[in-house]
Amino acid sequence: MYSSPSKLDITQLNKEYQIYFMFVVCLISLQLICNTIEPIIFSFGILKIPASAIFYVLSFAVSDVITENFGFKLAVRATVLNIISQFIYCGIATAVFLMPKKFQTTDAADSFQYIFHFISLELISSIVALLIAMIANDYIINRLKLVFLGKGFWWRTIVSTVTGEIVMLNIDYNITFMYEKSFSVIQQLIFSAMIYKTIAAFILALPIALLSKYISNNVFFLKPSMNQKISLLTDLKNAIAFK
């Protein structure tokens, strides 16, 4: 017999959606920051790292927490909302950049021109790179969760983040900088960014795992059920063993 949900259940569900959308807003904010500061490049000896690399690795970590605690479907929904936000932001920035300006001789205008003349390319790179890299990241950590029965989030987030970042960098940087830098320089940027992001993924693994565990203790209704997944995996293993 169907029983209507209690007020306590409704309150808990609303709380979980609030937590989910808080992470979605955080994910979108990090990506908007990346879009804005990507043309800025820092030099550390032989390494040249775009400023966006600092925040990209955080966005993948946030995406891992969403996937782990809310499931692959809601993680993909977060990515779609992220892409829509990038499209709106980059579209508006491109329109502003193309408007006639009377202050183009000032230093501020030069800085504005340098930063935002990349935006039209980022409109393409963000949509393509985000769609492929984020979904790959979410799929990998979710798949590993299935295979290892939910254990080892700290190392699963490293594997998914590094893999997603490799896909993201190769798509994003090759499109964004295609008319500004030579192919060899772009590959140097990708290599330098990957060194930083791999190190950052290892450093962030423990605090992200602790955050995910804390969120897990506060999510019940939106948490993906492992029982059905474990059953399907067991049946698959038995079928393979039988053959």
Side-chain angles (χ1 to χ4, degrees):
M1 180 181 293
Y2 173 77
S3 60
S4 59
S6 66
K7 290 184 178 181
L8 186 62
D9 290 339
I10 295 174
T11 301
Q12 175 62 30
L13 184 60
N14 287 335
K15 176 184 175 182
E16 293 180 17
Y17 270 114
Q18 288 173 0
I19 295 173
Y20 169 72
F21 283 112
M22 179 187 69
F23 277 98
V24 172
V25 170
C26 181
L27 184 66
I28 293 173
S29 299
L30 287 168
Q31 188 60 46
L32 292 179
I33 293 173
C34 291
N35 283 344
T36 304
I37 67 175
E38 186 166 1
I40 302 173
I41 298 176
F42 296 123
S43 296
F44 302 95
I46 62 173
L47 300 180
K48 296 183 181 299
I49 304 175
S52 61
I54 299 172
F55 295 94
Y56 262 129
V57 69
L58 293 174
S59 66
F60 277 91
V62 170
S63 185
D64 286 343
V65 173
I66 294 175
T67 307
E68 183 74 8
N69 294 284
F70 299 98
F72 181 71
K73 183 178 179 180
L74 285 179
V76 172
R77 184 177 298 178
T79 297
V80 171
L81 292 173
N82 197 359
I83 291 174
I84 293 173
S85 300
Q86 308 318 306
F87 183 83
I88 295 173
Y89 172 76
C90 292
I92 293 174
T94 300
V96 172
F97 172 76
L98 294 176
M99 289 180 180
K101 301 176 182 62
K102 298 179 180 180
F103 52 88
Q104 292 183 353
T105 57
T106 66
D107 292 337
D110 292 340
S111 299
F112 179 90
Q113 292 279 338
Y114 177 74
I115 294 294
F116 284 95
H117 85 283
F118 286 88
I119 287 292
S120 57
L121 289 175
E122 287 186 26
L123 179 61
I124 301 173
S125 64
S126 290
I127 292 175
V128 177
L130 271 177
L131 183 62
I132 298 175
M134 281 296 187
I135 291 180
N137 173 81
D138 297 338
Y139 176 81
I140 290 172
I141 195 168
N142 189 64
R143 188 64 181 174
L144 290 175
K145 181 179 182 179
L146 168 62
V147 173
F148 292 95
L149 308 182
K151 299 179 181 178
F153 176 79
W154 69 269
W155 66 262
R156 288 189 284 115
T157 186
I158 294 174
V159 173
S160 63
T161 296
V162 171
T163 304
E165 287 287 9
I166 291 174
V167 176
M168 170 70 79
L169 289 173
N170 278 279
I171 297 175
D172 187 23
Y173 287 8
N174 277 300
I175 295 177
T176 300
F177 298 111
M178 63 188 301
Y179 297 118
E180 299 294 328
K181 303 182 184 301
S182 65
F183 178 78
S184 60
V185 172
I186 294 175
Q187 302 316 303
Q188 182 183 5
L189 291 175
I190 294 174
F191 178 75
S192 299
M194 273 313 306
I195 292 177
Y196 160 77
K197 291 186 177 188
T198 301
I199 295 173
F202 276 89
I203 295 174
L204 289 172
L206 179 57
I208 290 299
L210 294 175
L211 174 62
S212 180
K213 184 176 181 180
Y214 174 78
I215 297 300
S216 179
N217 293 332
N218 290 275
V219 174
F220 304 100
F221 295 110
L222 295 181
K223 182 180 297 183
S225 174
M226 286 293 295
N227 295 331
Q228 184 178 5
K229 294 180 180 179
I230 292 173
S231 177
L232 291 172
L233 182 62
T234 303
D235 292 342
L236 178 60
K237 288 182 177 179
N238 291 337
I240 294 174
F242 179 76
K243 289 182 179 180

